Amino acid sequence: MLDPLNLENMSWHTQDSAATFLKVSSSADGLSQQDAQQRLEKFGPNRLRPAKKKGPLARLLMQFHNVLIYVLLGAGVVTALLGHWVDSGVIFGVVVINAIIGFIQEGKAEKALDAIRNMLSQQAMVKRNGKFINLPAELLTPGDIVFLQSGDKVPADLRLFKTRELRIEEAMLTGESVPVEKVTQPVAEQATIGDRKCIAYSGTLVTYGQGQGVVVATGDHTEIGRISGLLREVQTLTTPLLRQMATFAKWLTIAIGIIAAATFTYGVLLQDYSAGDMFLTAVGLAVAGIPEGLPAIMTITLAIGVQRMARKHAIIRRLPAVETLGSVTVICSDKTGTLTRNEMTVLTVATGAGVCEVSGAGYDPHGTFSLNGEDVTPEAFPLLREVAQAALLCNDASLSEVGGQWLMQGDPTEGALVTLAHKAGLEHNYCQHQFPRTDAIPFESQHRFMATLHHDHAGHGFIYLKGAPERVLEMCHQQRMRGEDVPIEKAYWETCMHTMASRGQRLLAIAFKPVAAGQQSLSFSDVEVGLTLLGVVGIIDPPREEAIQAVRDCQSAGIRVKMITGDHAITARAIGTQMGIGDGITVVNGTDLETYNAQQLEDAVQRSDIFARVSPEQKLQLVTALQAAGEVVSMTGDGVNDAPALKRADVGVAMGHKGTEVAKESAEMVLTDDNFASIAHAVEEGRTVYDNLKKSILFILPTNGGEALIIIAAIAMGRLLPITAAQILWINMITAVTLALTLAFEPPERNVMQRPPRNPKEPILSGFLIWRIIFVSLIIVTGTFGLFLWERQQGAPIELARTVAVNTLVMFEIFYLFSARYLLAPSLTFEGLFGNRYVLYAIGLLLVFQLGFTYLGPMQTLFATTAMSAEAWLRVIVVASSVLFLVEIEKLLLRKYSKAE
């Protein structure tokens, strides 16, 4: 009997066909229906088991598990205890809205595993009772014989035992641009997934030919099932901002609690206040110290960042990822479809008359030719045109324009040759009409070439042949040279091919042979001798031009860019050299990574920037090793093989056009234009978001500090409180939703992409920010408490003195807002005063609120305020404006000090 465990641990790529049939207890005739049913009961259906999911209620409750939310809930409870139900309702409303947004986003994230399950084939051609029948793919079981042909999606992991020109596109697993030619011979034990040419993997696509294989793994035991398992196990890390804000909120809460308790004790024991009065005072102190509006400001700032990024083709799926982008220190990028176009392109045409470079990328047939650095036309270089014509006619692919996009049908390599012919001015249908194909020898791995027989309308017959250069050179005894055939110079061609191959190009040789006019069929004997070599073309999946610049932008911002691909090392090195990634020499292979211990792996990720032939587990290991070294990692990708690493990374970035649904659902960000350059824009926006959050904190906390110090000063001096708890709550809420919110709209500062990434371990409150908060808090408490005492000394009633104190505090915030727009740059400039129109709108709105607070009867009743005279307003404005000038003087001194340093 078959043991599922033995099958799971088997290295099928090392077994020959006979051994494979023996181990799965099957044969080329397949299983009987009865045997297949018994195995299906033992192994289970060929589908991926769904992941365990949290229930909707548990997912909703988890949205509240955050220290910031606890602080906000505490503020809501305090305001409710004070009887201010409207304010309390606003606070609880913010919490609920945050929870709903998080709940919806998390629900979307769980679709990642569903997306993988949907990638499996729905139907399969299976041999049962000695005959091929069509069955649902989920009924497959180990030992079944499956027939594959062009266009099929592979339904399970198969050990191939019969192939006929079988090519399978495996980019979703390996990242390799070109379909893999499959064989039946076993390969070495240490061969990576991309080199296991005798295995057809579940979910990959057959692009050409036919084949038969025996099922060796189904469902969760397939390669795609293993990746699904990895995805379930990957732990999603919290973002640096949330970690910092959680720490900040925790310490702020502890500090406020200690200060409130100390104030209560001091007031009761040393100032003889009643316990009831001091309890209300302690509550007022807590309300003063808690920045109620901060979580809302943080959410809104992130949401504005999301909107800005969307306009730059970057869709954020999880809100905190916006800020995380700003602290990224390493971007690990997949190659195929991310840094490159995933469209094969002819870059070089070597002929006997010289080596020609071809411009343009992808299947868009616009480009030019240059010889020895000078532009050349196909008309002036007939041999180039002849190579292009041969490449077009000895070809089964086609090119068409649909809605402004050029689409290729057929093999990607042949598509690149058709594009070359279009660039040379040849029209496909016209050439086929002028030189109709009479017969052909299709490409087969045994002979490694394709040949076609053509005739023109004058009756001339000729053969075009293309294939592996080393094979074609054996068949050629002549080469075309300026309109005549001369003996072949093999040393010249070997030099050309070595240069082209070292640039990561895949090579194809193209040859010609005239035949008799009456010949209507083509045989192998016709091409064994007498061929003339026309040229050798070099083909590669080229890098995106805009991605090259984006890599430079990231590097200038202090971000290392690493290429992690499943493709071959030579190709990866060539693309890396063109893009400015790596040193042009060092490439670490997946086979090497398998032998590394933890320390060697950490050393490798620090010293190397290009990793080739890596498996999904190794991508995950590399990301994890970088994170262990303290890096904040962004991982880009588009295939199923990228999904675990995308999920693990601090910011996973998926491609929107060519990315699989699995990759998109595993990522925090999706690029709608599949353009690496959009990542650089997103990083800039992320840094701006963090700057603006820092400015918001720097603006909000001095107000809270000033309020708390006013209460402490009043208790210490045995005075009546200058501001009541309800008035404090009014100030906090009204300024948070007006003034502080405007800082979320601040544009990027000029040097945002020239400075290095911030240290993710750096606390949100640096020494400089703490100094600024204390400095501004002292200015606010001095001015506000001073005016309150002055009003009382002039005989003003307590209601008027408190109204003056509240309006002084608000005016302090208005003037301080201008300074807070820049951390160190001067604000007393036209740009500083008028550069953010939202600042002016918010000030106007706030003044309306304050006039209502001061003069409207219901507000006077609710907050115990009274009308102020014009002279009182003038005193308030003069005193409050001092904060702008004092902070600007402080900035000037700090700038001079930093220059001196």
Side-chain angles (χ1 to χ4, degrees):
M1 292 293 288
L2 284 180
D3 183 350
L5 191 61
N6 287 342
L7 294 190
E8 185 179 351
N9 296 327
M10 190 67 65
S11 298
W12 294 109
H13 57 282
T14 65
Q15 309 291 319
D16 61 24
S17 300
T20 302
F21 280 127
L22 187 64
K23 291 183 188 318
V24 296
S25 302
S26 185
S27 69
D29 293 327
L31 303 175
S32 67
Q33 191 62 41
Q34 182 182 1
D35 193 11
Q37 186 59 41
Q38 289 174 351
R39 293 187 183 203
L40 195 62
E41 291 172 4
K42 175 183 270 191
F43 288 92
N46 178 32
R47 57 172 177 251
L48 303 181
R49 67 183 164 87
K52 291 180 181 177
K53 296 182 180 179
K54 296 175 188 170
L57 181 60
R59 275 179 36 223
L60 182 61
L61 291 176
M62 282 301 293
Q63 306 307 318
F64 297 94
H65 183 53
N66 182 302
V67 177
L68 275 176
I69 299 300
Y70 295 154
V71 173
L72 205 55
L73 287 171
V77 170
V78 169
T79 51
L81 290 173
L82 291 169
H84 296 287
W85 302 109
V86 174
D87 298 322
S88 186
V90 169
I91 295 173
F92 289 131
V94 169
V95 172
V96 170
I97 290 169
N98 278 342
I100 290 171
I101 292 171
F103 178 76
I104 292 170
Q105 293 288 1
E106 191 173 308
K108 288 181 180 178
E110 289 190 354
K111 292 180 182 175
L113 297 172
D114 296 332
I116 286 189
R117 287 191 285 279
N118 292 336
M119 294 189 71
L120 299 184
S121 175
Q122 305 301 308
Q123 295 288 319
M125 187 67 72
V126 188
K127 188 178 274 191
R128 293 279 173 88
N129 295 326
K131 294 181 180 178
F132 278 108
I133 58 173
N134 209 30
L135 282 179
E138 67 177 30
L139 298 181
L140 287 180
T141 191
D144 266 326
I145 303 302
V146 175
F147 176 77
L148 299 174
Q149 61 183 352
S150 182
D152 286 349
K153 191 179 277 188
V154 180
D157 284 2
L158 311 177
R159 172 60 172 90
L160 299 167
F161 63 88
K162 188 182 291 186
T163 61
R164 180 176 173 80
E165 304 316 310
L166 180 64
R167 283 176 240 165
I168 298 180
E169 199 263 282
E170 296 180 337
M172 58 174 273
L173 288 176
T174 65
E176 191 168 353
S177 315
V178 179
V180 177
E181 184 181 336
K182 293 296 182 178
V183 297
T184 59
Q185 295 80 16
V187 296
E189 171 77 35
Q190 65 270 24
T192 60
I193 292 172
D195 295 323
R196 296 174 188 174
K197 297 188 177 182
C198 57
I199 305 288
Y201 289 105
S202 179
T204 57
L205 185 67
V206 179
T207 60
Y208 192 82
Q210 298 177 341
Q212 291 183 39
V214 57
V215 175
V216 293
T218 59
D220 286 334
H221 303 296
T222 62
E223 185 65 26
I224 199 171
R226 207 168 50 76
I227 293 173
S228 176
L230 276 176
L231 204 54
R232 279 194 294 270
E233 294 165 10
V234 171
Q235 177 187 2
T236 305
L237 298 182
T238 186
T239 71
L241 175 69
L242 291 182
R243 290 196 295 270
Q244 289 173 344
M245 291 302 287
T247 303
F248 166 69
K250 180 178 73 175
W251 286 110
L252 183 64
T253 305
I254 292 170
I256 289 169
I258 292 171
I259 292 169
T263 304
F264 175 85
T265 304
Y266 176 83
V268 172
L269 297 181
L270 298 180
Q271 292 288 357
D272 294 327
Y273 285 106
S274 70
D277 287 343
M278 282 312 302
F279 176 75
L280 288 175
T281 301
V283 167
L285 185 58
V287 170
I290 294 173
E292 293 90 348
L294 187 56
I297 293 298
M298 188 175 83
T299 301
I300 293 166
T301 304
L302 293 173
I304 290 168
V306 167
Q307 290 178 340
R308 284 176 172 171
M309 286 186 188
R311 290 195 288 271
K312 295 178 180 177
H313 310 291
I315 305 299
I316 296 294
R317 297 184 63 254
R318 298 182 184 97
L319 208 56
V322 179
E323 178 277 332
T324 312
L325 273 163
S327 56
V328 162
T329 59
V330 176
I331 297 177
C332 296
S333 179
D334 184 35
K335 177 183 72 68
T336 307
T338 308
L339 295 170
T340 66
R341 302 176 61 90
N342 199 15
E343 295 176 349
M344 301 304 288
T345 305
V346 175
L347 290 186
T348 311
V349 180
T351 69
V355 179
C356 193
E357 303 295 331
V358 188
S359 72
Y363 301 126
D364 185 340
H366 295 90
T368 59
F369 302 91
S370 62
L371 185 66
N372 300 323
E374 296 184 5
D375 287 349
V376 64
T377 63
E379 291 76 18
F381 195 170
L383 186 49
L384 172 65
R385 191 179 181 89
E386 191 172 357
V387 170
Q389 180 174 295
L392 180 64
L393 293 174
C394 187
N395 200 312
D396 292 322
S398 63
L399 203 61
S400 59
E401 187 179 15
V402 179
Q405 294 281 327
W406 287 92
L407 304 177
M408 187 277 300
Q409 292 80 39
D411 182 85
T413 300
E414 292 198 325
L417 297 176
V418 174
T419 306
L420 171 71
H422 278 264
K423 289 177 182 177
L426 301 175
E427 206 281 314
H428 205 161
N429 292 334
Y430 176 79
C431 286
Q432 287 178 327
H433 176 73
Q434 288 295 106
F435 309 105
R437 185 188 296 187
T438 310
D439 197 9
I441 298 175
F443 182 91
E444 291 187 5
S445 55
Q446 292 89 331
H447 51 254
R448 298 162 66 204
F449 65 79
M450 173 185 179
T452 53
L453 174 63
H454 302 266
H455 291 81
D456 62 18
H457 295 294
H460 302 108
F462 54 90
I463 297 168
Y464 282 138
L465 180 143
K466 74 172 190 292
E470 58 273 19
R471 176 74 177 100
V472 176
L473 254 65
E474 292 173 0
M475 303 158 70
C476 293
H477 300 288
Q478 300 178 99
Q479 66 185 50
R480 184 64 51 85
M481 189 85 169
R482 296 185 178 87
E484 60 179 355
D485 295 344
V486 298
I488 193 164
E489 298 179 33
K490 290 199 174 181
Y492 166 79
W493 290 106
E494 285 170 0
T495 301
C496 287
M497 290 190 296
H498 176 77
T499 302
M500 293 159 73
S502 67
R503 292 163 61 186
Q505 298 176 12
R506 292 177 167 87
L507 308 183
L508 269 181
I510 297 174
F512 166 86
K513 180 182 180 181
V515 295
Q519 183 172 333
Q520 296 296 312
S521 61
L522 193 58
S523 65
F524 284 99
S525 60
D526 293 322
V527 295
E528 286 175 352
V529 292
L531 287 169
T532 298
L533 183 63
L534 298 178
V536 177
V537 297
I539 304 171
I540 199 169
D541 178 15
R544 298 169 177 268
E545 289 298 324
E546 62 274 19
I548 295 173
Q549 182 59 46
V551 167
R552 292 194 194 112
D553 291 343
C554 290
Q555 290 169 340
S556 70
I559 301 169
R560 288 184 72 181
V561 179
K562 295 179 182 289
M563 183 196 300
I564 301 178
T565 179
D567 211 339
H568 292 282
I570 293 175
T571 307
R573 184 187 291 113
I575 295 295
T577 300
Q578 292 179 61
M579 303 210 66
I581 299 174
D583 57 10
I585 301 170
T586 309
V587 177
V588 178
N589 268 295
T591 49
D592 299 325
L593 290 175
E594 287 179 0
T595 65
Y596 286 175
N597 58 33
Q599 185 57 52
Q600 289 172 316
L601 184 64
E602 192 170 320
D603 292 342
V605 296
Q606 291 296 335
R607 75 169 187 273
S608 304
D609 288 335
I610 301 178
F611 298 84
R613 258 346 197 194
V614 294
S615 67
E617 294 100 326
Q618 288 170 340
K619 288 190 177 188
L620 183 57
Q621 286 170 1
L622 291 170
V623 169
T624 306
L626 284 164
Q627 289 170 331
E631 307 285 0
V632 178
V633 183
S634 174
M635 172 76 194
T636 74
D638 58 358
V640 179
N641 57 324
D642 301 318
L646 286 173
K647 186 177 178 185
R648 170 71 192 195
D650 296 280
V651 184
V653 181
M655 303 299 112
H657 279 308
K658 294 183 178 176
T660 61
E661 285 304 308
V662 188
K664 293 177 197 173
E665 294 293 343
S666 300
E668 280 78 23
M669 185 170 87
V670 179
L671 302 182
T672 59
D673 59 353
D674 284 15
N675 190 339
F676 186 87
S678 296
I679 299 173
H681 296 312
V683 168
E684 180 181 15
E685 192 57 50
R687 291 186 174 192
T688 302
V689 164
Y690 186 77
D691 280 354
N692 292 349
L693 281 171
K694 201 155 63 169
K695 290 171 186 176
S696 297
I697 291 169
L698 198 57
F699 175 76
I700 291 171
L701 290 189
T703 309
N704 293 104
E707 292 165 351
L709 286 173
I710 287 167
I711 294 172
I712 292 169
I715 298 299
M717 296 171 66
R719 298 272 183 173
L720 288 172
L721 293 183
I723 307 174
T724 66
Q727 290 169 344
I728 286 169
L729 193 62
W730 163 264
I731 296 169
N732 287 355
M733 292 304 294
I734 205 66
T735 55
V737 298
T738 55
L739 301 185
L741 186 57
T742 64
L743 295 171
F745 294 93
E746 283 294 310
E749 295 198 4
R750 288 188 182 89
N751 68 339
V752 71
M753 286 299 280
Q754 276 73 55
R755 64 193 189 210
R758 64 184 174 84
N759 185 345
K761 295 179 181 176
E762 173 189 296
I764 202 159
L765 287 184
S766 63
F768 161 69
L769 293 187
I770 292 171
W771 151 251
R772 175 69 62 80
I773 289 166
I774 293 171
F775 179 57
V776 175
S777 296
L778 290 173
I779 295 171
I780 290 173
V781 72
T782 303
T784 303
F785 200 50
L787 268 183
F788 172 78
L789 291 176
W790 192 89
E791 292 288 344
R792 291 293 286 162
Q793 285 172 0
Q794 302 307 308
I798 187 66
E799 290 82 4
L800 176 59
R802 283 176 171 167
T803 305
V804 169
V806 170
N807 281 304
T808 304
L809 247 176
V810 171
M811 292 305 295
F812 263 125
E813 291 203 44
I814 288 174
F815 282 105
Y816 177 52
L817 180 62
F818 290 105
S819 274
R821 287 192 59 211
Y822 305 117
L823 296 177
L824 283 175
S827 296
L828 292 176
T829 62
F830 183 85
E831 180 66 25
L833 295 174
F834 303 104
N836 184 344
R837 66 181 187 277
Y838 296 104
V839 167
L840 304 178
Y841 297 158
I843 290 172
L845 182 62
L846 181 57
L847 290 175
V848 171
F849 282 135
Q850 282 307 113
L851 289 173
F853 173 85
T854 306
Y855 296 106
L856 288 179
M859 297 293 280
Q860 289 176 337
T861 303
L862 187 62
F863 290 103
T865 60
T866 188
M868 285 170 51
S869 65
E871 291 83 356
W873 277 109
L874 183 61
R875 286 192 295 272
V876 165
I877 291 169
V878 170
V879 170
S881 64
S882 64
V883 71
L884 174 59
F885 301 108
L886 290 171
V887 173
E888 288 305 299
I889 292 169
E890 179 240 16
K891 285 186 189 178
L892 178 64
L893 294 173
L894 286 173
R895 288 197 301 274
K896 285 185 176 179
Y897 175 75
S898 61
K899 281 184 182 178
E901 285 287 301

